[in-house]
């Protein structure tokens, strides 16, 4: 069974076999914090909606189309596609063809597992545990079972059971169960220890259980379970009755890394309920975490703001590298740049720093532009900045006004049907020799990877936001508005699409990192 191992930072996973060497702790920690709960939710939802049962077994009959599957299951086409593309990328399903001609089947080893009644029973027994596992904080504080849905759930005991010693010999069954049951449990464990401040205490100095209890007001029983499971994950160790981070974990989480991890776990926590009810969203497009709802969106992005601030410096270096790449083909001296959906302003600011004469217009909601203004002042580019509040869905960006227009991680929050109208307004605002830069997660042409991109796309679907496309899908939409020349260039964490009218020169390779001056805020 072909299943990728947890990813190497920053956001990539190799397609390796189950028998491959174990991933490093850094790779595993990155995956547990970011995508492990997505993995469990994917497999649980696929089982609940009947997708595994509806797929023919590879080699036993013709593969079936997405349309046929949605008719059989009574599910949302987009939701079913989101599940299928991930199953294909994980090696659990097989895909033939491309675009509208795609057909799907269940991988034979997976079918053998899922046609075994005892194994299915083991999976079914785990399904009701998602919501109780989300109450791990309460279980640790009480040190006893918690109440949920009129029943008592021994969450601490279940964690002990899940992470008891597993068979030494790897097997397809144990690997599938691990991903189905333990992946999400690992994410929730990290969310809990991050939220309760336990990681910071362990990083500061070795402490005994009574000392940890006095510092956190947590029960000894709850603390012991957390520490023992963390030790099985390689994150903690006990020495002479005192607990601390393991040497490898300490090295990984030194400096600002621990605070960044805790912030990222806070973001992951917001998806927990929606992931547990993913099958409802796939069936009915009932969005449990609906980011089209203004109040839900406000709360969600208010929590996200700290995370965005934490990654500003790394994104600034990435966007400066993109600006350097474009400047090789299209001089930026005196250029008028429009940064649409600017967010933190990091992309526009990078272009402003490209030359002393580049002017940038930052477009977003008025409340967002308040932070952008502060960031441009810190980067000393506010004197060449214009702040333009407006509605992304309706705003007229003018005619032939800009040399470069940037769409930085904006398209994935828009529903696919809104893209043609946006691209038409953007193309109209470009000068005849202007260039559109799209920074986005771009899928492979078969839409079967990269895996992290597909997990990101799953979250966009279940929060009622946009879709991810392949380079050719973007190219067709851009050609419809006259931007017939386009190129897709991989960046370290995402992709950069450049588009222009015929005859405009576009770079085809990313500028080397050593060509980009390493400047940060205030320098």
């Amino acid at each position: 069974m072909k299943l990728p191992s947890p990813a190497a930072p920053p956001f990539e996973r190799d397609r390796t076999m189950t028998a491959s060497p174990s991933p490093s702790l850094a790779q595993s920690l990155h995956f547990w914090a970011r995508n492990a709960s997505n993995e469990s939710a994917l497999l649980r939802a696929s089982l609940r909606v009947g997708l595994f049962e509806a797929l023919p077994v590879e080699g036993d009959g013709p593969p079936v189309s997405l349309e046929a599957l949605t008719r059989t299951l009574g599910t949302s086409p987009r939701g079913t596609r989101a599940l299928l593309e991930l199953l294909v990328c994980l090696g659990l399903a097989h895909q033939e063809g491309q675009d509208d001609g795609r057909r799907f089947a269940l991988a034979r080893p997976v079918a053998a597992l899922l046609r075994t009644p005892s194994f299915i029973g083991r999976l079914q027994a785990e399904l009701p545990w998602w919501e109780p596992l989300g109450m791990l904080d309460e279980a640790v504080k009480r040190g006893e079972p918690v109440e949920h849905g009129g029943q008592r759930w021994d969450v601490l005991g279940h964690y002990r059971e899940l992470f008891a010693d597993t068979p030494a010999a790897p097997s397809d069954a144990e690997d599938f169960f691990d991903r189905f049951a333990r992946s999400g449990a690992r994410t929730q464990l990290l969310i809990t220890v991050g939220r309760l401040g336990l990681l910071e205490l362990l990083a500061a100095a070795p402490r005994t259980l009574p000392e940890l209890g006095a510092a956190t007001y947590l029960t000894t029983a709850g603390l012991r379970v957390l520490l023992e499971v963390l030790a099985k994950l390689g994150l903690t160790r006990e020495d002479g009755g005192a607990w601390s981070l393991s040497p490898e974990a300490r090295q990984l989480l030194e400096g600002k890394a621990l605070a960044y991890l805790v912030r990222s776990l806070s973001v992951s926590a917001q998806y927990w309920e929606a992931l547990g009810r993913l099958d409802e969203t796939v069936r009915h497009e009932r969005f449990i975490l609906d980011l089209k709802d203004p109040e839900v969106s406000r709360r969600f992005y208010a929590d996200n703001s700290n995370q965005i601030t934490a990654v500003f410096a790394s994104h600034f270096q990435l966007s400066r590298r993109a600006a350097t790449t474009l400047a090789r083909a299209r001089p930026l001296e005196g250029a008028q740049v429009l940064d649409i959906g600017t967010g933190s302003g990091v992309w526009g600011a990078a272009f402003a720093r490209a030359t002393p004469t580049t002017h940038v217009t930052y477009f977003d909601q008025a409340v967002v532009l308040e932070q952008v203004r502060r960031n441009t002042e810190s980067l000393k580019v506010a004197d060449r900045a214009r702040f333009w509040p407006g509605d992304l869905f309706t705003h007229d960006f003018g005619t032939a006004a800009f040399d470069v227009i940037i769409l930085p991680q904006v398209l994935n929050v828009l529903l696919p049907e809104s893209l043609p109208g946006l691209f038409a307004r953007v193309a109209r605002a470009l000068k005849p020799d202007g260039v559109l830069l799209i920074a986005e997660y771009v899928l492979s042409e078969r839409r079967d990877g990269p895996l992290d991109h597909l997990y990101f796309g799953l979250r966009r679907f279940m929060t009622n936001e946009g879709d991810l496309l392949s380079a050719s899908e973007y190219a067709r939409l851009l050609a419809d508005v006259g931007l017939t020349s386009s190129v897709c260039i991989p960046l370290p964490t995402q992709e950069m699409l450049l588009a222009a009218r015929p005859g405009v020169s576009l770079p085809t390779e990313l500028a080397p990192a050593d060509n980009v001056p390493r400047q940060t805020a205030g320098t």
Side-chain angles (χ1 to χ4, degrees):
M1 190 188 307
K2 295 181 179 180
L3 293 174
S5 297
F11 305 108
E12 293 299 328
R13 296 177 77 178
D14 297 324
R15 294 183 64 85
T16 55
M17 300 294 287
T18 303
S20 297
S22 297
S24 69
L25 183 60
Q27 293 171 316
S28 296
L29 185 58
H30 173 83
F31 175 66
W32 299 334
R34 184 179 174 90
N35 280 329
S37 55
N38 296 337
E39 181 175 68
S40 286
L42 160 72
L43 299 180
R44 289 167 184 253
S46 297
L47 182 65
R48 276 181 161 148
V49 302
L51 181 56
F52 290 131
E53 190 175 359
L55 283 166
V57 179
E58 183 181 3
D60 286 356
V64 296
S65 67
L66 172 64
E67 292 75 15
L69 282 168
T70 56
R71 287 196 301 270
T72 298
L73 298 172
T75 49
S76 152
R78 187 179 164 202
T80 308
R81 172 167 60 77
L83 299 183
L84 280 169
E85 289 171 349
L86 275 162
L87 294 176
V88 169
C89 188
L90 285 166
L92 301 175
H94 175 72
Q95 173 184 313
E96 292 183 6
Q98 197 166 309
D99 299 326
D100 294 336
R102 292 191 297 172
R103 300 290 186 272
F104 302 91
L106 190 63
R108 183 170 291 277
V110 181
L113 288 177
L114 298 180
R115 303 299 189 264
T116 305
S118 60
F119 187 70
I120 284 291
R122 190 182 179 197
L123 300 182
Q124 294 282 3
E126 284 299 319
L127 288 177
W129 276 98
W130 189 274
E131 290 83 4
L133 290 183
M135 302 172 69
L136 180 59
D137 292 31
E138 182 180 345
V140 172
K141 292 173 182 176
R142 289 185 171 194
E144 60 184 32
V146 297
E147 297 285 340
H148 174 72
Q151 300 182 49
R152 285 173 63 80
W153 299 81
D154 186 5
V155 174
L156 298 178
H158 195 62
Y159 260 92
R160 275 207 170 100
E161 179 184 341
L162 279 176
F163 291 95
D165 292 337
T166 54
S171 67
D172 286 349
E174 196 56 42
D175 185 76
F176 191 100
F177 181 80
D178 185 84
R179 294 163 187 269
F180 188 95
R182 298 189 193 99
S183 279
R186 291 183 183 101
T187 301
Q188 184 57 54
L189 175 74
L190 291 175
I191 289 170
T192 293
V193 297
R195 192 153 48 199
L196 298 178
L198 190 59
L199 287 175
E200 288 90 340
L201 287 170
L202 294 170
R207 285 178 167 86
T208 63
L209 275 176
E211 289 171 339
L212 288 170
T216 61
Y217 302 102
L218 301 177
T219 62
T220 299
L223 277 170
R224 185 175 293 280
V225 171
L226 293 183
L227 293 168
E228 288 176 350
V229 178
L230 287 171
K232 286 184 177 292
L233 301 185
L235 292 169
T236 60
R237 70 171 183 175
E238 184 183 15
D239 185 9
W243 288 88
S244 63
L245 294 183
S246 68
E248 189 176 357
R250 183 178 300 279
Q251 184 177 7
L252 285 174
L253 298 177
E254 64 182 358
K256 297 180 179 179
L258 177 55
Y260 175 79
L261 173 65
V262 172
R263 281 192 293 265
S264 70
L265 289 166
S266 174
V267 174
S268 293
Q270 297 186 79
Y271 291 96
W272 186 262
E273 182 184 1
L275 285 168
R277 297 169 62 183
L278 178 59
D279 57 303
E280 295 179 37
T281 306
V282 171
R283 282 194 179 101
H284 311 298
E285 296 205 0
R286 181 182 298 132
F287 300 103
I288 312 305
L289 180 63
D290 187 353
L291 295 184
K292 290 291 186 287
D293 180 295
E295 181 56 27
V296 173
S297 179
R298 185 194 64 77
R299 291 196 305 268
F300 181 88
Y301 286 111
D303 188 68
N304 264 15
S305 62
N306 285 336
Q307 182 74 357
I308 293 170
T309 301
V311 299
F312 187 95
S314 61
H315 282 194
F316 185 58
Q317 293 302 326
L318 179 68
S319 51
R320 293 210 71 198
R321 193 172 175 189
T324 301
T325 300
L326 182 56
R328 287 175 157 190
R330 200 237 183 268
L332 296 177
E333 285 79 10
Q336 292 290 334
V337 178
L338 172 62
D339 185 359
I340 298 177
T342 185
S344 66
V346 66
W347 279 84
F351 274 76
R353 293 291 285 267
T355 83
T357 59
T358 305
H359 289 74
V360 179
T361 297
Y362 301 86
F363 176 87
D364 214 312
Q365 301 175 60
V367 65
V368 174
L369 293 177
E370 293 174 11
Q371 179 61 49
V372 178
R373 189 184 301 274
R374 290 190 289 271
N375 290 342
T376 59
E377 290 172 355
S378 175
L379 290 164
K380 303 188 186 305
V381 294
D383 60 323
R384 291 176 284 116
R386 173 193 176 200
F387 303 98
W388 198 6
D391 185 342
L392 175 65
F393 297 95
T394 59
H395 201 88
D396 184 347
F397 301 113
T399 302
F402 298 98
D403 300 282
V404 178
I405 296 180
I406 309 169
L407 291 170
Q409 287 289 322
V410 171
L411 302 183
N412 64 69
V413 304
L414 303 176
L415 294 175
E417 54 267 28
S418 67
L419 294 186
L422 173 63
F423 285 157
R425 286 180 283 131
V426 165
R428 187 167 60 250
L430 273 177
K431 293 180 180 179
D433 62 347
V435 176
L436 170 64
L437 187 158
I438 298 171
E440 194 53 82
Y441 298 123
V442 179
L443 297 182
S444 68
E445 288 305 312
R446 285 171 49 86
R447 293 187 61 92
D448 59 354
L451 183 57
D452 271 334
H453 289 18
L454 290 171
Y455 276 133
F456 182 84
L458 176 69
R459 287 191 174 187
R460 297 285 70 71
F461 160 69
M462 72 184 207
T463 54
N464 195 20
E465 292 190 293
D467 205 353
L468 303 189
L469 304 180
S470 67
S472 63
E473 288 173 315
Y474 278 120
R476 286 193 288 271
L477 290 171
L478 293 167
D480 288 343
V481 296
L483 303 180
T484 55
S485 176
S486 64
V487 61
C488 182
I489 300 175
L491 298 175
T493 60
Q494 55 196 274
E495 285 74 37
M496 176 173 63
L497 275 161
L498 300 171
R501 295 180 175 88
V504 177
S505 177
L506 296 175
T508 57
E509 294 182 351
L510 187 63
D514 56 10
N515 284 11
V516 181
R518 296 192 63 80
Q519 295 172 302
T520 55
T523 65

